Amino acid sequence: MDALSLPRVLKLLKKFYGRPAPAKITDPLEIILYENVAYLVDDERRDAAFAALKKKVGTKAPQILKASNAELLEICRMGGMAPEVRAQRIRQIAELAHWIFKDDLKSVLKKPLKEAMKELKKFPSIGDPGAEKILMLTRSYPVLSLESNGLRALLRLGFAEEKKSYSSSYRDAQNAIRDQLPEGYDDLIAAYQLLRQHGQELCK
């Protein structure tokens, strides 16, 4: 059997789960809104809340700024707990995108990696993993983002040791796989999806 490596793990996961479907959301602002419209719910409920936002309000910053608090609250109630907090965050995201970034987040993606990360982390609930996810899904930088399920799977497979600090665990895992990343955005995104699915369905 081959030594445990990220390519080997991904090959086995792909054989077991199949090739993931392409990512549905690739616009940077929509990715941020998708992350914030729901909290601690399954993908189906998050998808439904985001679809409602897109249909009833829109996902452009000016559209969100024109929406009433009641409209945003109704949508965020579809996405789990603390809907009032998330409704405020949706408006805050729109304000940042419109007034600070001049409705042009795509220009941020063209900046040097560290600068782009710093700018994206100005948005609510976007830390290093979220910023890397945006850069990966928008095909701006060839980074492999790890969300909590994917990170847990890698830690349990022995790529790094779990630390008390989530950010330390995340960075150690990233350092461990840095030289083993798939080539090309399609394979990077598929790796993110496969690790996430494995963490959700089996490596719980």
Side-chain angles (χ1 to χ4, degrees), residues 22-196:
K24 294 179 288 187
I25 304 173
T26 58
D27 176 82
L29 181 57
E30 288 194 343
I31 295 170
I32 296 169
L33 292 168
Y34 184 82
E35 292 296 320
N36 281 272
V37 77
Y39 180 65
L40 294 180
V41 298
D42 58 29
D43 290 349
E44 288 74 19
R45 285 187 66 184
R46 187 179 297 273
D47 288 347
F50 181 77
L53 176 67
K54 196 164 189 175
K55 180 179 179 180
K56 297 179 180 181
V57 173
T59 54
K60 304 294 185 184
Q63 294 172 322
I64 294 170
L65 293 176
K66 290 178 182 177
S68 68
N69 291 335
E71 286 176 308
L72 295 179
L73 182 57
E74 179 187 2
I75 291 165
C76 288
R77 283 194 176 118
M78 300 173 63
M81 63 178 66
E84 296 86 358
V85 174
R86 286 183 286 103
Q88 291 174 359
R89 284 180 181 171
I90 295 296
R91 191 174 296 282
Q92 183 184 356
I93 290 165
E95 289 172 345
L96 283 168
H98 184 64
W99 298 111
I100 303 300
F101 295 103
K102 310 301 181 185
D103 296 320
D104 185 21
L105 270 185
K106 290 183 179 179
S107 65
V108 173
L109 308 179
K110 299 175 184 177
K111 295 183 177 184
L113 178 58
K114 287 186 178 180
E115 190 176 346
M117 292 274 292
K118 183 179 179 181
E119 294 290 279
L120 292 171
K121 288 193 291 184
K122 291 179 180 179
F123 287 94
S125 76
I126 301 297
D128 284 344
E132 289 176 347
K133 180 180 178 180
I134 295 166
L135 295 172
M136 176 186 68
L137 292 180
T138 58
R139 299 170 182 259
S140 302
Y141 282 96
V143 293
L144 174 56
S145 174
L146 298 170
E147 53 79 70
S148 58
N149 291 288
L151 174 61
R152 183 175 64 253
L154 285 182
L155 293 175
R156 289 182 173 179
L157 287 168
F159 283 88
E161 293 185 5
E162 186 171 3
K163 303 291 180 60
K164 290 183 179 180
S165 164
Y166 183 88
S167 60
S168 294
S169 298
Y170 185 87
R171 280 295 142 216
D172 285 354
Q174 285 283 23
N175 289 334
I177 63 174
R178 193 175 309 280
D179 297 328
Q180 305 178 48
L181 299 183
E183 293 185 3
Y185 286 109
D186 288 343
D187 288 335
L188 273 173
I189 294 168
Y192 163 83
Q193 293 170 311
L194 286 168
L195 288 167
R196 180 177 185 267

Side-chain angles (χ1 to χ4, degrees), residues 2 5-16 194:
D2 295 341
S5 65
L6 184 63
R8 172 67 173 164
V9 168
L10 295 175
K11 181 179 179 180
L12 292 170
L13 292 179
K14 185 178 177 182
K15 183 178 180 180
F16 185 76
L194 286 168

